[in-house]
Amino acid sequence: MEKLVDGSKWLFKSPHTVKTTIDRLLRAIDKNPEVIQYERIDQQAVSRIAGKEVRPCECVSFQNSKLVGLLLDLNIRTAEVLPMQVVAYEQEDGQVWLATNNPDFMDVHYGLNGANGLIAQIHALFPRWVEEALSG
């Protein structure tokens, strides 16, 4: 699984449709009861309300209830990027991408200095979920 780093974002190529990518990611996340999903938004459907036709795009917000309080305690401004958001979108060439916040950017931007191992925990969890979602 190739991960591209684009400043504040991690990007992953998906072999699936936008809907399937998000469905599969949510199934992987659902195996972790401490992770709370807040919303799933079909941006394509929302755009249609305004009379605009856009390529498929969905986003989901979620956070780990065990980690969020610890991060906020270290720097309340981390609330600016929490809960985490994942976006799956289809480019004009048909390639689907999955994008999320880069925890290393959050670490540096908010001066967390590894956040007592929390950034490493995000590194351990999220790519595993993405790999499960994007495999076969």
PDB file of all heavy atoms in Angstrom, residues 1-5 10-16 21 24-25 28 86 95-100 122-136:
ATOM      1  N   MET A   1       0.841  -1.168   0.000  1.00  0.00           N
ATOM      2  CA  MET A   1       0.000   0.000   0.000  1.00  0.00           C
ATOM      3  C   MET A   1       0.893   1.240   0.000  1.00  0.00           C
ATOM      4  O   MET A   1       1.707   1.415   0.891  1.00  0.00           O
ATOM      5  CB  MET A   1      -0.892  -0.023   1.247  1.00  0.00           C
ATOM      6  CG  MET A   1      -1.647   1.232   1.475  1.00  0.00           C
ATOM      7  SD  MET A   1      -2.531   1.251   3.055  1.00  0.00           S
ATOM      8  CE  MET A   1      -1.200   1.376   4.217  1.00  0.00           C
ATOM      9  N   GLU A   2       0.716   2.048  -0.999  1.00  0.00           N
ATOM     10  CA  GLU A   2       1.529   3.261  -1.110  1.00  0.00           C
ATOM     11  C   GLU A   2       0.829   4.422  -0.426  1.00  0.00           C
ATOM     12  O   GLU A   2      -0.349   4.686  -0.647  1.00  0.00           O
ATOM     13  CB  GLU A   2       1.749   3.596  -2.583  1.00  0.00           C
ATOM     14  CG  GLU A   2       2.586   4.828  -2.792  1.00  0.00           C
ATOM     15  CD  GLU A   2       2.752   5.184  -4.264  1.00  0.00           C
ATOM     16  OE1 GLU A   2       2.174   4.486  -5.117  1.00  0.00           O
ATOM     17  OE2 GLU A   2       3.445   6.161  -4.532  1.00  0.00           O
ATOM     18  N   LYS A   3       1.579   5.105   0.428  1.00  0.00           N
ATOM     19  CA  LYS A   3       1.065   6.290   1.115  1.00  0.00           C
ATOM     20  C   LYS A   3       1.831   7.495   0.587  1.00  0.00           C
ATOM     21  O   LYS A   3       3.062   7.521   0.610  1.00  0.00           O
ATOM     22  CB  LYS A   3       1.260   6.168   2.616  1.00  0.00           C
ATOM     23  CG  LYS A   3       0.922   7.436   3.394  1.00  0.00           C
ATOM     24  CD  LYS A   3       1.138   7.262   4.877  1.00  0.00           C
ATOM     25  CE  LYS A   3       2.599   7.147   5.193  1.00  0.00           C
ATOM     26  NZ  LYS A   3       2.920   6.916   6.588  1.00  0.00           N
ATOM     27  N   LEU A   4       1.116   8.489   0.088  1.00  0.00           N
ATOM     28  CA  LEU A   4       1.727   9.740  -0.339  1.00  0.00           C
ATOM     29  C   LEU A   4       1.490  10.772   0.753  1.00  0.00           C
ATOM     30  O   LEU A   4       0.407  10.844   1.317  1.00  0.00           O
ATOM     31  CB  LEU A   4       1.110  10.228  -1.649  1.00  0.00           C
ATOM     32  CG  LEU A   4       1.169   9.257  -2.836  1.00  0.00           C
ATOM     33  CD1 LEU A   4       0.400   9.820  -4.018  1.00  0.00           C
ATOM     34  CD2 LEU A   4       2.616   8.980  -3.220  1.00  0.00           C
ATOM     35  N   VAL A   5       2.518  11.546   1.044  1.00  0.00           N
ATOM     36  CA  VAL A   5       2.386  12.605   2.034  1.00  0.00           C
ATOM     37  C   VAL A   5       2.329  13.927   1.291  1.00  0.00           C
ATOM     38  O   VAL A   5       3.215  14.249   0.512  1.00  0.00           O
ATOM     39  CB  VAL A   5       3.552  12.590   3.037  1.00  0.00           C
ATOM     40  CG1 VAL A   5       3.431  13.724   4.040  1.00  0.00           C
ATOM     41  CG2 VAL A   5       3.622  11.245   3.750  1.00  0.00           C
ATOM     42  N   TRP A  10      -2.346  12.670   4.368  1.00  0.00           N
ATOM     43  CA  TRP A  10      -1.894  11.382   3.839  1.00  0.00           C
ATOM     44  C   TRP A  10      -2.851  11.024   2.718  1.00  0.00           C
ATOM     45  O   TRP A  10      -4.071  11.159   2.861  1.00  0.00           O
ATOM     46  CB  TRP A  10      -1.997  10.290   4.893  1.00  0.00           C
ATOM     47  CG  TRP A  10      -0.873  10.192   5.873  1.00  0.00           C
ATOM     48  CD1 TRP A  10       0.309  10.858   5.867  1.00  0.00           C
ATOM     49  CD2 TRP A  10      -0.848   9.329   7.017  1.00  0.00           C
ATOM     50  NE1 TRP A  10       1.072  10.470   6.938  1.00  0.00           N
ATOM     51  CE2 TRP A  10       0.392   9.539   7.654  1.00  0.00           C
ATOM     52  CE3 TRP A  10      -1.739   8.419   7.540  1.00  0.00           C
ATOM     53  CZ2 TRP A  10       0.756   8.850   8.810  1.00  0.00           C
ATOM     54  CZ3 TRP A  10      -1.380   7.734   8.701  1.00  0.00           C
ATOM     55  CH2 TRP A  10      -0.145   7.945   9.313  1.00  0.00           C
ATOM     56  N   LEU A  11      -2.330  10.531   1.601  1.00  0.00           N
ATOM     57  CA  LEU A  11      -3.145  10.120   0.460  1.00  0.00           C
ATOM     58  C   LEU A  11      -2.843   8.669   0.106  1.00  0.00           C
ATOM     59  O   LEU A  11      -1.680   8.259   0.076  1.00  0.00           O
ATOM     60  CB  LEU A  11      -2.846  11.001  -0.761  1.00  0.00           C
ATOM     61  CG  LEU A  11      -3.066  12.501  -0.587  1.00  0.00           C
ATOM     62  CD1 LEU A  11      -2.463  13.261  -1.757  1.00  0.00           C
ATOM     63  CD2 LEU A  11      -4.545  12.791  -0.471  1.00  0.00           C
ATOM     64  N   PHE A  12      -3.897   7.910  -0.179  1.00  0.00           N
ATOM     65  CA  PHE A  12      -3.772   6.498  -0.548  1.00  0.00           C
ATOM     66  C   PHE A  12      -4.600   6.255  -1.804  1.00  0.00           C
ATOM     67  O   PHE A  12      -5.768   6.662  -1.859  1.00  0.00           O
ATOM     68  CB  PHE A  12      -4.305   5.587   0.567  1.00  0.00           C
ATOM     69  CG  PHE A  12      -3.675   5.794   1.906  1.00  0.00           C
ATOM     70  CD1 PHE A  12      -4.189   6.737   2.790  1.00  0.00           C
ATOM     71  CD2 PHE A  12      -2.579   5.043   2.285  1.00  0.00           C
ATOM     72  CE1 PHE A  12      -3.616   6.918   4.048  1.00  0.00           C
ATOM     73  CE2 PHE A  12      -2.004   5.214   3.545  1.00  0.00           C
ATOM     74  CZ  PHE A  12      -2.527   6.159   4.421  1.00  0.00           C
ATOM     75  N   LYS A  13      -4.032   5.559  -2.794  1.00  0.00           N
ATOM     76  CA  LYS A  13      -4.794   5.165  -3.982  1.00  0.00           C
ATOM     77  C   LYS A  13      -5.701   4.006  -3.615  1.00  0.00           C
ATOM     78  O   LYS A  13      -5.269   3.060  -2.955  1.00  0.00           O
ATOM     79  CB  LYS A  13      -3.866   4.702  -5.103  1.00  0.00           C
ATOM     80  CG  LYS A  13      -3.269   5.798  -5.917  1.00  0.00           C
ATOM     81  CD  LYS A  13      -2.492   5.214  -7.090  1.00  0.00           C
ATOM     82  CE  LYS A  13      -1.951   6.319  -7.958  1.00  0.00           C
ATOM     83  NZ  LYS A  13      -1.239   5.772  -9.131  1.00  0.00           N
ATOM     84  N   SER A  14      -6.939   4.077  -4.068  1.00  0.00           N
ATOM     85  CA  SER A  14      -7.879   2.989  -3.807  1.00  0.00           C
ATOM     86  C   SER A  14      -8.240   2.280  -5.106  1.00  0.00           C
ATOM     87  O   SER A  14      -8.516   2.940  -6.105  1.00  0.00           O
ATOM     88  CB  SER A  14      -9.161   3.524  -3.164  1.00  0.00           C
ATOM     89  OG  SER A  14     -10.101   2.471  -3.020  1.00  0.00           O
ATOM     90  N   PRO A  15      -8.290   0.945  -5.086  1.00  0.00           N
ATOM     91  CA  PRO A  15      -8.727   0.203  -6.268  1.00  0.00           C
ATOM     92  C   PRO A  15     -10.254   0.077  -6.341  1.00  0.00           C
ATOM     93  O   PRO A  15     -10.783  -0.523  -7.264  1.00  0.00           O
ATOM     94  CB  PRO A  15      -8.091  -1.172  -6.062  1.00  0.00           C
ATOM     95  CG  PRO A  15      -8.078  -1.338  -4.565  1.00  0.00           C
ATOM     96  CD  PRO A  15      -7.824   0.049  -4.024  1.00  0.00           C
ATOM     97  N   HIS A  16     -10.948   0.638  -5.358  1.00  0.00           N
ATOM     98  CA  HIS A  16     -12.396   0.493  -5.245  1.00  0.00           C
ATOM     99  C   HIS A  16     -13.104   1.802  -5.588  1.00  0.00           C
ATOM    100  O   HIS A  16     -12.484   2.847  -5.692  1.00  0.00           O
ATOM    101  CB  HIS A  16     -12.776   0.068  -3.823  1.00  0.00           C
ATOM    102  CG  HIS A  16     -12.036  -1.118  -3.322  1.00  0.00           C
ATOM    103  ND1 HIS A  16     -12.213  -2.380  -3.842  1.00  0.00           N
ATOM    104  CD2 HIS A  16     -11.087  -1.233  -2.352  1.00  0.00           C
ATOM    105  CE1 HIS A  16     -11.419  -3.232  -3.200  1.00  0.00           C
ATOM    106  NE2 HIS A  16     -10.729  -2.558  -2.305  1.00  0.00           N
ATOM    107  N   THR A  21     -14.863   2.053  -0.935  1.00  0.00           N
ATOM    108  CA  THR A  21     -13.692   2.416  -0.128  1.00  0.00           C
ATOM    109  C   THR A  21     -14.122   2.832   1.269  1.00  0.00           C
ATOM    110  O   THR A  21     -13.583   2.341   2.273  1.00  0.00           O
ATOM    111  CB  THR A  21     -12.903   3.557  -0.805  1.00  0.00           C
ATOM    112  OG1 THR A  21     -12.415   3.090  -2.075  1.00  0.00           O
ATOM    113  CG2 THR A  21     -11.728   4.004   0.049  1.00  0.00           C
ATOM    114  N   ARG A  24     -15.645  -0.178   3.274  1.00  0.00           N
ATOM    115  CA  ARG A  24     -14.608  -1.102   3.741  1.00  0.00           C
ATOM    116  C   ARG A  24     -13.803  -0.485   4.887  1.00  0.00           C
ATOM    117  O   ARG A  24     -13.443  -1.168   5.845  1.00  0.00           O
ATOM    118  CB  ARG A  24     -13.707  -1.523   2.594  1.00  0.00           C
ATOM    119  CG  ARG A  24     -14.420  -2.429   1.580  1.00  0.00           C
ATOM    120  CD  ARG A  24     -13.554  -2.678   0.346  1.00  0.00           C
ATOM    121  NE  ARG A  24     -12.325  -3.355   0.705  1.00  0.00           N
ATOM    122  CZ  ARG A  24     -12.054  -4.631   0.465  1.00  0.00           C
ATOM    123  NH1 ARG A  24     -12.943  -5.379  -0.171  1.00  0.00           N
ATOM    124  NH2 ARG A  24     -10.908  -5.161   0.820  1.00  0.00           N
ATOM    125  N   LEU A  25     -13.518   0.813   4.795  1.00  0.00           N
ATOM    126  CA  LEU A  25     -12.787   1.482   5.867  1.00  0.00           C
ATOM    127  C   LEU A  25     -13.610   1.470   7.155  1.00  0.00           C
ATOM    128  O   LEU A  25     -13.087   1.181   8.233  1.00  0.00           O
ATOM    129  CB  LEU A  25     -12.434   2.920   5.474  1.00  0.00           C
ATOM    130  CG  LEU A  25     -11.666   3.700   6.538  1.00  0.00           C
ATOM    131  CD1 LEU A  25     -10.289   3.091   6.773  1.00  0.00           C
ATOM    132  CD2 LEU A  25     -11.547   5.160   6.141  1.00  0.00           C
ATOM    133  N   ALA A  28     -13.462  -1.815   8.877  1.00  0.00           N
ATOM    134  CA  ALA A  28     -12.193  -1.992   9.591  1.00  0.00           C
ATOM    135  C   ALA A  28     -12.193  -1.193  10.897  1.00  0.00           C
ATOM    136  O   ALA A  28     -11.789  -1.704  11.949  1.00  0.00           O
ATOM    137  CB  ALA A  28     -11.028  -1.559   8.703  1.00  0.00           C
ATOM    138  N   VAL A  86     -11.828  11.561   7.116  1.00  0.00           N
ATOM    139  CA  VAL A  86     -11.338  10.816   5.963  1.00  0.00           C
ATOM    140  C   VAL A  86     -12.224  11.192   4.782  1.00  0.00           C
ATOM    141  O   VAL A  86     -13.443  11.264   4.910  1.00  0.00           O
ATOM    142  CB  VAL A  86     -11.429   9.289   6.203  1.00  0.00           C
ATOM    143  CG1 VAL A  86     -11.025   8.512   4.964  1.00  0.00           C
ATOM    144  CG2 VAL A  86     -10.571   8.885   7.378  1.00  0.00           C
ATOM    145  N   GLN A  95      -9.478   7.596 -11.024  1.00  0.00           N
ATOM    146  CA  GLN A  95      -8.734   7.111  -9.859  1.00  0.00           C
ATOM    147  C   GLN A  95      -9.401   7.602  -8.578  1.00  0.00           C
ATOM    148  O   GLN A  95      -9.719   8.771  -8.432  1.00  0.00           O
ATOM    149  CB  GLN A  95      -7.282   7.601  -9.898  1.00  0.00           C
ATOM    150  CG  GLN A  95      -6.437   7.193  -8.699  1.00  0.00           C
ATOM    151  CD  GLN A  95      -6.310   5.695  -8.533  1.00  0.00           C
ATOM    152  OE1 GLN A  95      -5.867   5.002  -9.439  1.00  0.00           O
ATOM    153  NE2 GLN A  95      -6.726   5.167  -7.384  1.00  0.00           N
ATOM    154  N   VAL A  96      -9.600   6.666  -7.640  1.00  0.00           N
ATOM    155  CA  VAL A  96     -10.168   7.008  -6.333  1.00  0.00           C
ATOM    156  C   VAL A  96      -9.024   7.160  -5.336  1.00  0.00           C
ATOM    157  O   VAL A  96      -8.097   6.350  -5.307  1.00  0.00           O
ATOM    158  CB  VAL A  96     -11.171   5.927  -5.867  1.00  0.00           C
ATOM    159  CG1 VAL A  96     -11.623   6.174  -4.436  1.00  0.00           C
ATOM    160  CG2 VAL A  96     -12.368   5.887  -6.813  1.00  0.00           C
ATOM    161  N   TRP A  97      -9.112   8.206  -4.544  1.00  0.00           N
ATOM    162  CA  TRP A  97      -8.126   8.489  -3.507  1.00  0.00           C
ATOM    163  C   TRP A  97      -8.801   8.539  -2.152  1.00  0.00           C
ATOM    164  O   TRP A  97      -9.950   8.972  -2.032  1.00  0.00           O
ATOM    165  CB  TRP A  97      -7.444   9.830  -3.763  1.00  0.00           C
ATOM    166  CG  TRP A  97      -6.523   9.817  -4.933  1.00  0.00           C
ATOM    167  CD1 TRP A  97      -6.847  10.080  -6.234  1.00  0.00           C
ATOM    168  CD2 TRP A  97      -5.136   9.501  -4.920  1.00  0.00           C
ATOM    169  NE1 TRP A  97      -5.746   9.952  -7.024  1.00  0.00           N
ATOM    170  CE2 TRP A  97      -4.672   9.597  -6.251  1.00  0.00           C
ATOM    171  CE3 TRP A  97      -4.235   9.145  -3.925  1.00  0.00           C
ATOM    172  CZ2 TRP A  97      -3.358   9.354  -6.593  1.00  0.00           C
ATOM    173  CZ3 TRP A  97      -2.913   8.906  -4.277  1.00  0.00           C
ATOM    174  CH2 TRP A  97      -2.492   9.008  -5.597  1.00  0.00           C
ATOM    175  N   LEU A  98      -8.064   8.125  -1.129  1.00  0.00           N
ATOM    176  CA  LEU A  98      -8.491   8.233   0.255  1.00  0.00           C
ATOM    177  C   LEU A  98      -7.517   9.200   0.923  1.00  0.00           C
ATOM    178  O   LEU A  98      -6.297   9.002   0.856  1.00  0.00           O
ATOM    179  CB  LEU A  98      -8.439   6.863   0.932  1.00  0.00           C
ATOM    180  CG  LEU A  98      -8.970   6.762   2.346  1.00  0.00           C
ATOM    181  CD1 LEU A  98     -10.479   7.005   2.367  1.00  0.00           C
ATOM    182  CD2 LEU A  98      -8.661   5.400   2.930  1.00  0.00           C
ATOM    183  N   ALA A  99      -8.033  10.254   1.525  1.00  0.00           N
ATOM    184  CA  ALA A  99      -7.178  11.269   2.154  1.00  0.00           C
ATOM    185  C   ALA A  99      -7.572  11.440   3.611  1.00  0.00           C
ATOM    186  O   ALA A  99      -8.751  11.362   3.962  1.00  0.00           O
ATOM    187  CB  ALA A  99      -7.326  12.601   1.421  1.00  0.00           C
ATOM    188  N   THR A 100      -6.567  11.678   4.454  1.00  0.00           N
ATOM    189  CA  THR A 100      -6.815  11.946   5.870  1.00  0.00           C
ATOM    190  C   THR A 100      -5.722  12.851   6.407  1.00  0.00           C
ATOM    191  O   THR A 100      -4.717  13.097   5.741  1.00  0.00           O
ATOM    192  CB  THR A 100      -6.890  10.641   6.692  1.00  0.00           C
ATOM    193  OG1 THR A 100      -7.400  10.954   7.993  1.00  0.00           O
ATOM    194  CG2 THR A 100      -5.548   9.972   6.805  1.00  0.00           C
ATOM    195  N   ILE A 122      -1.342   6.421  16.493  1.00  0.00           N
ATOM    196  CA  ILE A 122      -2.091   6.734  15.273  1.00  0.00           C
ATOM    197  C   ILE A 122      -1.408   6.099  14.077  1.00  0.00           C
ATOM    198  O   ILE A 122      -2.066   5.520  13.208  1.00  0.00           O
ATOM    199  CB  ILE A 122      -2.240   8.263  15.098  1.00  0.00           C
ATOM    200  CG1 ILE A 122      -3.080   8.841  16.231  1.00  0.00           C
ATOM    201  CG2 ILE A 122      -2.859   8.590  13.736  1.00  0.00           C
ATOM    202  CD1 ILE A 122      -3.071  10.361  16.321  1.00  0.00           C
ATOM    203  N   HIS A 123      -0.074   6.166  14.044  1.00  0.00           N
ATOM    204  CA  HIS A 123       0.692   5.521  12.960  1.00  0.00           C
ATOM    205  C   HIS A 123       0.451   4.016  12.931  1.00  0.00           C
ATOM    206  O   HIS A 123       0.454   3.414  11.863  1.00  0.00           O
ATOM    207  CB  HIS A 123       2.195   5.789  13.125  1.00  0.00           C
ATOM    208  CG  HIS A 123       2.665   7.045  12.489  1.00  0.00           C
ATOM    209  ND1 HIS A 123       2.924   7.150  11.146  1.00  0.00           N
ATOM    210  CD2 HIS A 123       2.913   8.270  13.015  1.00  0.00           C
ATOM    211  CE1 HIS A 123       3.327   8.371  10.871  1.00  0.00           C
ATOM    212  NE2 HIS A 123       3.314   9.071  11.985  1.00  0.00           N
ATOM    213  N   ALA A 124       0.264   3.420  14.076  1.00  0.00           N
ATOM    214  CA  ALA A 124       0.047   1.972  14.142  1.00  0.00           C
ATOM    215  C   ALA A 124      -1.375   1.595  13.735  1.00  0.00           C
ATOM    216  O   ALA A 124      -1.585   0.551  13.116  1.00  0.00           O
ATOM    217  CB  ALA A 124       0.348   1.464  15.551  1.00  0.00           C
ATOM    218  N   LEU A 125      -2.346   2.417  14.089  1.00  0.00           N
ATOM    219  CA  LEU A 125      -3.746   2.082  13.838  1.00  0.00           C
ATOM    220  C   LEU A 125      -4.226   2.417  12.435  1.00  0.00           C
ATOM    221  O   LEU A 125      -4.750   1.550  11.730  1.00  0.00           O
ATOM    222  CB  LEU A 125      -4.652   2.816  14.840  1.00  0.00           C
ATOM    223  CG  LEU A 125      -4.617   2.364  16.278  1.00  0.00           C
ATOM    224  CD1 LEU A 125      -5.410   3.330  17.157  1.00  0.00           C
ATOM    225  CD2 LEU A 125      -5.179   0.961  16.399  1.00  0.00           C
ATOM    226  N   PHE A 126      -4.101   3.661  12.058  1.00  0.00           N
ATOM    227  CA  PHE A 126      -4.775   4.106  10.843  1.00  0.00           C
ATOM    228  C   PHE A 126      -4.290   3.402   9.577  1.00  0.00           C
ATOM    229  O   PHE A 126      -5.112   2.921   8.791  1.00  0.00           O
ATOM    230  CB  PHE A 126      -4.704   5.623  10.684  1.00  0.00           C
ATOM    231  CG  PHE A 126      -5.630   6.102   9.618  1.00  0.00           C
ATOM    232  CD1 PHE A 126      -7.003   6.137   9.840  1.00  0.00           C
ATOM    233  CD2 PHE A 126      -5.162   6.446   8.374  1.00  0.00           C
ATOM    234  CE1 PHE A 126      -7.878   6.533   8.843  1.00  0.00           C
ATOM    235  CE2 PHE A 126      -6.023   6.851   7.373  1.00  0.00           C
ATOM    236  CZ  PHE A 126      -7.389   6.885   7.609  1.00  0.00           C
ATOM    237  N   PRO A 127      -2.984   3.299   9.330  1.00  0.00           N
ATOM    238  CA  PRO A 127      -2.564   2.590   8.114  1.00  0.00           C
ATOM    239  C   PRO A 127      -3.043   1.142   8.055  1.00  0.00           C
ATOM    240  O   PRO A 127      -3.328   0.613   6.985  1.00  0.00           O
ATOM    241  CB  PRO A 127      -1.038   2.679   8.149  1.00  0.00           C
ATOM    242  CG  PRO A 127      -0.775   3.936   8.911  1.00  0.00           C
ATOM    243  CD  PRO A 127      -1.848   3.951   9.977  1.00  0.00           C
ATOM    244  N   ARG A 128      -3.187   0.503   9.206  1.00  0.00           N
ATOM    245  CA  ARG A 128      -3.705  -0.872   9.242  1.00  0.00           C
ATOM    246  C   ARG A 128      -5.149  -0.904   8.751  1.00  0.00           C
ATOM    247  O   ARG A 128      -5.544  -1.774   7.978  1.00  0.00           O
ATOM    248  CB  ARG A 128      -3.587  -1.430  10.669  1.00  0.00           C
ATOM    249  CG  ARG A 128      -3.924  -2.906  10.751  1.00  0.00           C
ATOM    250  CD  ARG A 128      -3.771  -3.453  12.151  1.00  0.00           C
ATOM    251  NE  ARG A 128      -4.847  -2.949  12.992  1.00  0.00           N
ATOM    252  CZ  ARG A 128      -4.693  -2.471  14.220  1.00  0.00           C
ATOM    253  NH1 ARG A 128      -3.512  -2.453  14.779  1.00  0.00           N
ATOM    254  NH2 ARG A 128      -5.726  -2.029  14.910  1.00  0.00           N
ATOM    255  N   TRP A 129      -5.960   0.068   9.190  1.00  0.00           N
ATOM    256  CA  TRP A 129      -7.344   0.147   8.731  1.00  0.00           C
ATOM    257  C   TRP A 129      -7.407   0.420   7.238  1.00  0.00           C
ATOM    258  O   TRP A 129      -8.212  -0.169   6.525  1.00  0.00           O
ATOM    259  CB  TRP A 129      -8.100   1.250   9.463  1.00  0.00           C
ATOM    260  CG  TRP A 129      -8.196   1.077  10.941  1.00  0.00           C
ATOM    261  CD1 TRP A 129      -8.127  -0.098  11.644  1.00  0.00           C
ATOM    262  CD2 TRP A 129      -8.393   2.109  11.896  1.00  0.00           C
ATOM    263  NE1 TRP A 129      -8.257   0.147  12.989  1.00  0.00           N
ATOM    264  CE2 TRP A 129      -8.424   1.502  13.167  1.00  0.00           C
ATOM    265  CE3 TRP A 129      -8.538   3.485  11.816  1.00  0.00           C
ATOM    266  CZ2 TRP A 129      -8.612   2.222  14.340  1.00  0.00           C
ATOM    267  CZ3 TRP A 129      -8.719   4.211  12.978  1.00  0.00           C
ATOM    268  CH2 TRP A 129      -8.756   3.583  14.224  1.00  0.00           C
ATOM    269  N   VAL A 130      -6.548   1.318   6.771  1.00  0.00           N
ATOM    270  CA  VAL A 130      -6.533   1.655   5.341  1.00  0.00           C
ATOM    271  C   VAL A 130      -6.118   0.450   4.520  1.00  0.00           C
ATOM    272  O   VAL A 130      -6.740   0.145   3.504  1.00  0.00           O
ATOM    273  CB  VAL A 130      -5.594   2.859   5.066  1.00  0.00           C
ATOM    274  CG1 VAL A 130      -5.389   3.062   3.576  1.00  0.00           C
ATOM    275  CG2 VAL A 130      -6.144   4.120   5.719  1.00  0.00           C
ATOM    276  N   GLU A 131      -5.110  -0.261   4.969  1.00  0.00           N
ATOM    277  CA  GLU A 131      -4.669  -1.451   4.240  1.00  0.00           C
ATOM    278  C   GLU A 131      -5.801  -2.473   4.133  1.00  0.00           C
ATOM    279  O   GLU A 131      -6.027  -3.066   3.080  1.00  0.00           O
ATOM    280  CB  GLU A 131      -3.443  -2.082   4.889  1.00  0.00           C
ATOM    281  CG  GLU A 131      -2.943  -3.261   4.102  1.00  0.00           C
ATOM    282  CD  GLU A 131      -1.458  -3.481   4.237  1.00  0.00           C
ATOM    283  OE1 GLU A 131      -0.773  -2.655   4.850  1.00  0.00           O
ATOM    284  OE2 GLU A 131      -1.004  -4.488   3.707  1.00  0.00           O
ATOM    285  N   GLU A 132      -6.520  -2.679   5.227  1.00  0.00           N
ATOM    286  CA  GLU A 132      -7.652  -3.611   5.204  1.00  0.00           C
ATOM    287  C   GLU A 132      -8.722  -3.126   4.229  1.00  0.00           C
ATOM    288  O   GLU A 132      -9.296  -3.912   3.485  1.00  0.00           O
ATOM    289  CB  GLU A 132      -8.230  -3.737   6.610  1.00  0.00           C
ATOM    290  CG  GLU A 132      -9.311  -4.787   6.720  1.00  0.00           C
ATOM    291  CD  GLU A 132      -9.774  -4.991   8.162  1.00  0.00           C
ATOM    292  OE1 GLU A 132      -8.996  -4.783   9.103  1.00  0.00           O
ATOM    293  OE2 GLU A 132     -10.947  -5.377   8.322  1.00  0.00           O
ATOM    294  N   ALA A 133      -8.967  -1.834   4.207  1.00  0.00           N
ATOM    295  CA  ALA A 133      -9.995  -1.272   3.327  1.00  0.00           C
ATOM    296  C   ALA A 133      -9.616  -1.349   1.857  1.00  0.00           C
ATOM    297  O   ALA A 133     -10.463  -1.582   0.988  1.00  0.00           O
ATOM    298  CB  ALA A 133     -10.274   0.192   3.704  1.00  0.00           C
ATOM    299  N   LEU A 134      -8.346  -1.156   1.557  1.00  0.00           N
ATOM    300  CA  LEU A 134      -7.922  -1.057   0.163  1.00  0.00           C
ATOM    301  C   LEU A 134      -7.435  -2.369  -0.434  1.00  0.00           C
ATOM    302  O   LEU A 134      -7.259  -2.470  -1.639  1.00  0.00           O
ATOM    303  CB  LEU A 134      -6.827   0.002   0.023  1.00  0.00           C
ATOM    304  CG  LEU A 134      -7.197   1.409   0.497  1.00  0.00           C
ATOM    305  CD1 LEU A 134      -6.064   2.380   0.200  1.00  0.00           C
ATOM    306  CD2 LEU A 134      -8.500   1.889  -0.112  1.00  0.00           C
ATOM    307  N   SER A 135      -7.225  -3.390   0.387  1.00  0.00           N
ATOM    308  CA  SER A 135      -6.745  -4.657  -0.137  1.00  0.00           C
ATOM    309  C   SER A 135      -7.829  -5.350  -0.958  1.00  0.00           C
ATOM    310  O   SER A 135      -9.012  -5.146  -0.728  1.00  0.00           O
ATOM    311  CB  SER A 135      -6.287  -5.570   0.997  1.00  0.00           C
ATOM    312  OG  SER A 135      -7.390  -5.917   1.798  1.00  0.00           O
ATOM    313  N   GLY A 136      -7.349  -6.161  -1.909  1.00  0.00           N
ATOM    314  CA  GLY A 136      -8.201  -6.989  -2.777  1.00  0.00           C
ATOM    315  C   GLY A 136      -9.562  -6.549  -2.886  1.00  0.00           C
ATOM    316  O   GLY A 136     -10.538  -6.717  -3.286  1.00  0.00           O
TER     317      GLY A 136
END
